Amino acid sequence: MAQRLSYVDTVLDRHAAISERTPAPWSQLGSDDAASKWMQVSHQLNAMLGMSADNLRVVRGMLHEDGELVVPMYGHYPVLRSAIEASALAKWIAEPDDQAERLRRSFSARIADLNEDRDLHAEAMKAAALHAGVELSLLKRGDDAFKLGDAKARAEIRGICLDRHIPWTGVSKGLPGYASIVRAVGSAGDVPGNYAASIWRIISGLSHPSASRATRYSALEILGESKDGVLRARVSASMNWTQAALSVATTLTLDALRLVELRLDSKHPRRSSAFGSVPAT
């Protein structure tokens, strides 16, 4: 565990260096930004990887306190889950060599965000109407402005897809489930993506208030049993699931950072020139 925690520092240093870079116009990521207009892919990836790095930083502080290894019972699981999801999504978007596929994935994530934003806005409107005492006219203006922005963003995405021959049906449905995304990008060496998806599922389950899951997936020491079959036990945090989840989170984050660096350093091939197509490097 100590070695894995020290590895977090390596990942955070790598993130700090890469996140400071601005995509050059000739780079693959610079071309992705130009194609995506104001919904720039680099900004999207920076936000996702920033979330992953921030969560890893928090986990490091939670697990390493005053020079000692401390494993909480519950609190680190939601943070690790968020780090895995953010880094897996960033890797999934940056992974394809084909620009059209990178854009399709980026726009699918944008549509998923717009759908979530719409649902959250609806709840915010309800809350404001019920408890905030806001005038109805102000609420309506805010609602109208939100709907206008939402429609503009969706129309922009659809227009870019049409211009670049990206099938709208592959974008409009949003993202696949996180289990599918983690499974697709979670392989590391000889470790298959199915393993990463299983770890994600386990810590997702441990992120919810369930006495049975907390007991089954924690270190359990039976101290006694009553005549009615009621066990008296000591439950402590499992090092196994914590270490596995931290390993998946750091590996995915580093993989995503490597891909972003690749897209920053590789030239985007021009579609045509006087001498034919120009290959990427």
Side-chain angles (χ1 to χ4, degrees), residues 71-74 76-77 217-219 235-240 242:
V71 182
M73 277 298 298
Y74 313 107
H76 58 307
Y77 290 126
Y217 291 91
S218 298
V235 181
S236 55
S238 168
M239 293 287 289
N240 292 335
T242 299

Side-chain angles (χ1 to χ4, degrees), residues 70-207:
V70 179
V71 182
M73 277 298 298
Y74 313 107
H76 58 307
Y77 290 126
V79 185
L80 283 167
R81 174 187 178 182
S82 181
I84 289 174
E85 291 176 354
S87 56
L89 185 53
K91 182 179 178 181
W92 183 74
I93 291 171
E95 190 171 48
D97 289 329
D98 179 60
Q99 184 186 43
E101 178 60 12
R102 290 198 302 274
L103 291 174
R104 186 194 71 80
R105 295 184 181 193
S106 172
F107 291 145
S108 294
R110 293 283 188 184
I111 290 293
D113 281 346
L114 289 171
N115 292 340
E116 290 288 344
D117 290 347
R118 186 169 55 190
D119 291 343
L120 289 175
H121 171 73
E123 293 303 322
M125 293 292 291
K126 290 178 186 177
L130 289 170
H131 298 290
V134 181
E135 293 183 10
L136 291 178
S137 60
L138 290 176
L139 284 177
K140 187 178 185 309
R141 284 202 295 272
D143 190 42
D144 290 343
F146 174 86
K147 290 177 178 176
L148 182 64
D150 178 78
K152 178 182 177 182
R154 291 175 192 271
E156 188 79 81
I157 293 172
R158 187 164 189 171
I160 297 171
C161 290
L162 181 64
D163 290 342
R164 294 188 167 262
H165 308 290
I166 299 171
W168 175 242
T169 54
V171 173
S172 61
K173 60 186 178 182
L175 291 173
Y178 271 107
S180 297
I181 292 173
V182 175
R183 186 181 301 112
V185 301
S187 60
D190 295 331
V191 180
N194 283 335
Y195 172 78
S198 294
I199 295 301
W200 173 81
R201 286 183 183 276
I202 290 168
I203 64 166
S204 295
L206 291 170
S207 298

Side-chain angles (χ1 to χ4, degrees), residues 19-66:
S19 63
E20 290 180 352
R21 296 183 58 183
T22 300
W26 52 260
S27 69
Q28 290 179 341
L29 195 49
S31 179
D32 291 350
D33 280 353
S36 53
K37 299 185 179 180
W38 54 270
M39 294 169 289
Q40 297 197 333
V41 178
S42 66
H43 293 178
Q44 184 184 44
L45 293 172
N46 278 339
M48 293 169 184
L49 288 170
M51 175 176 284
S52 182
D54 204 35
N55 281 315
L56 287 175
R57 190 175 295 107
V58 170
V59 167
R60 182 187 59 184
M62 295 172 75
L63 298 179
H64 196 257
E65 186 176 317
D66 297 328

